[in-house]
Amino acid sequence: MKLVIIGDATLYLGDCMDILPTLGKVDAVITDPPFGIGNFVQVGGNVRGEKVNWNESGPSAEFFHLLKEKSTHRVIWGANYFNCFEGAGGLVWVKNQPMPNMSKAEMASTSWGKKVELISLTWTNYVNTKESDHPCERPVLLYKWCIEQVPKYPNTILDPFMGSGTTGVAAIQLGRKFIGIEREPKYFEIACQRIEQAAAQGKLFAPEPVKQHQETLI
């Protein structure tokens, strides 16, 4: 396991089921777990993308129970795959994907309210602003919107499936603290680079210097 601290971001390379029990309670979890649809990522219609080993199964019931213990509020994308809805409300992202892409929208469960909020952001395999080669990267604007939906505007955000670090970039850009966990070294390094860049950009007009990048093997 590896620990990297970049400004207000604390990043763990490791399995979230090992790391989550060691953490304190956070204001909000915002995450997009693997859907568990097979050892591949569907990129459109019947087209399969690269072979991966992290999409063969979704999170366990123990994982969702642990999330409730460790957070005040939760936004969990792909909730329709996990049946992890906590109430009547939720979030919907309309992706404006033309045929033959697979999904026109994605759903997230939330831990508050009964309303369904909707955002429309175009995001396809052909027209997008991806910043990494992660096959499931999401728009930073989507996650900034998610943070803004959480009651009482959370100070500390946790993403136990950090991937390429989009949640962390959104949190840092909004001046929030971030904790991220990712078990794939390739994507962890990408997340570190993106979050470090976001932290540096956010401090351009601040009087104090950016905190140093620290790495620790645990």
Side-chain angles (χ1 to χ4, degrees), residues 1-198:
M1 188 166 66
K2 180 179 177 181
L3 170 65
V4 175
I5 298 175
I6 303 171
D8 288 330
T10 303
L11 313 178
Y12 294 89
L13 173 62
D15 192 307
C16 65
M17 293 305 292
D18 295 329
I19 297 167
L20 280 172
T22 71
L23 302 180
K25 192 168 185 176
V26 300
D27 298 320
V29 167
I30 300 177
T31 193
D32 182 17
F35 293 167
I37 59 175
N39 64 344
F40 62 92
V41 175
Q42 193 119 9
V43 296
N46 294 319
V47 180
R48 295 185 176 187
E50 65 178 274
K51 186 175 181 179
V52 298
N53 61 9
W54 44 261
N55 202 25
E56 295 180 346
S57 61
S60 65
E62 181 185 0
F63 167 79
F64 292 109
H65 178 74
L66 196 52
L67 283 194
K68 290 183 179 181
E69 287 186 353
K70 293 293 182 177
S71 60
T72 301
H73 286 298
R74 290 158 295 285
V75 175
I76 303 175
W77 287 100
N80 48 309
Y81 288 89
F82 315 127
N83 193 24
C84 61
F85 292 96
E86 298 186 48
L91 305 179
V92 174
W93 167 30
V94 178
K95 302 166 78 172
N96 300 317
Q97 292 192 135
M99 289 298 289
N101 279 28
M102 184 179 178
S103 179
K104 300 298 181 290
E106 291 193 17
M107 301 169 61
S109 62
T110 59
S111 56
W112 68 89
K114 296 183 178 181
K115 291 196 306 179
V116 174
E117 299 289 350
L118 181 147
I119 187 171
S120 178
L121 285 173
T122 299
W123 192 256
T124 74
N125 294 315
Y126 314 106
V127 181
N128 57 41
T129 55
K130 287 182 69 173
E131 298 180 13
S132 77
D133 63 353
H134 193 293
C136 300
E137 185 185 318
R138 300 296 188 243
V140 172
L141 280 176
L142 174 66
Y143 282 84
K144 291 173 79 170
W145 177 75
C146 289
I147 293 170
E148 292 167 347
Q149 302 307 305
V150 179
K152 298 184 179 179
Y153 204 63
N155 182 56
T156 303
I157 312 296
L158 165 66
D159 187 349
F161 290 99
M162 179 171 61
S164 62
T166 300
T167 311
V169 172
I172 295 302
Q173 287 184 354
L174 290 175
R176 307 294 94 183
K177 295 179 181 178
F178 177 69
I179 301 171
I181 306 171
E182 174 56 42
R183 73 178 191 182
E184 299 291 329
K186 172 184 176 181
Y187 300 133
F188 181 80
E189 292 305 322
I190 292 172
C192 288
Q193 293 169 12
R194 294 182 67 201
I195 290 169
E196 188 159 28
Q197 182 179 29

